[in-house]
Amino acid sequence: RARSVPVFLFDLVRTEPLLLDRRHQAVAFPDMVLAVRTRAPAQAVDLQCDGKVAFTEPADLHRPLLAGVLQTAWGVAPTHLSWGEPQNRSVADYLFSVGNTP
């Protein structure tokens, strides 16, 4: 059975960064993916890896958009999320979230 996933991409001509929830270029919802792209240069985000500040490229949507479609269409969770049995909910753990993966 084929399933269509609507992707709403807002491609803005502004040079200031615009991120969803202060760190996401694309967000997956159960029935759609919302993404935003600007022409801003690389921006630092609130995360670090090996003591180095992590950056996001607001002009490049390949990885964030792929991650959003994978999550919405097939339920693929981000690498930093796992199920916590004691908490009975998903738990964020960036320890083994290696690389800039979708």
Side-chain angles (χ1 to χ4, degrees):
R1 174 182 128 182
R3 178 177 177 203
S4 296
V5 176
V7 176
F8 296 97
L9 170 60
F10 295 93
D11 191 4
L12 306 175
V13 185
R14 58 189 282 164
T15 56
E16 299 86 19
L18 178 63
L19 299 174
L20 306 169
D21 288 343
R22 290 184 353 121
R23 71 171 66 151
H24 301 288
Q25 291 174 269
V27 177
F29 293 98
D31 58 345
M32 68 176 171
V33 178
L34 179 65
V36 62
R37 175 172 51 189
T38 64
R39 295 184 177 26
Q43 298 293 314
V45 292
D46 296 338
L47 303 173
Q48 292 186 1
C49 181
D50 194 25
K52 299 177 182 118
V53 177
F55 288 90
T56 185
E57 291 279 347
D60 185 14
L61 269 180
H62 291 98
R63 287 179 182 265
L65 199 54
L66 174 62
V69 171
L70 286 172
Q71 190 172 353
T72 297
W74 291 283
V76 176
T79 57
H80 68 278
L81 290 181
S82 62
W83 184 256
E85 194 65 38
Q87 298 89 353
N88 198 28
R89 63 178 173 86
S90 61
V91 178
D93 183 4
Y94 290 91
L95 182 61
F96 296 107
S97 183
V98 179
N100 188 14
T101 60

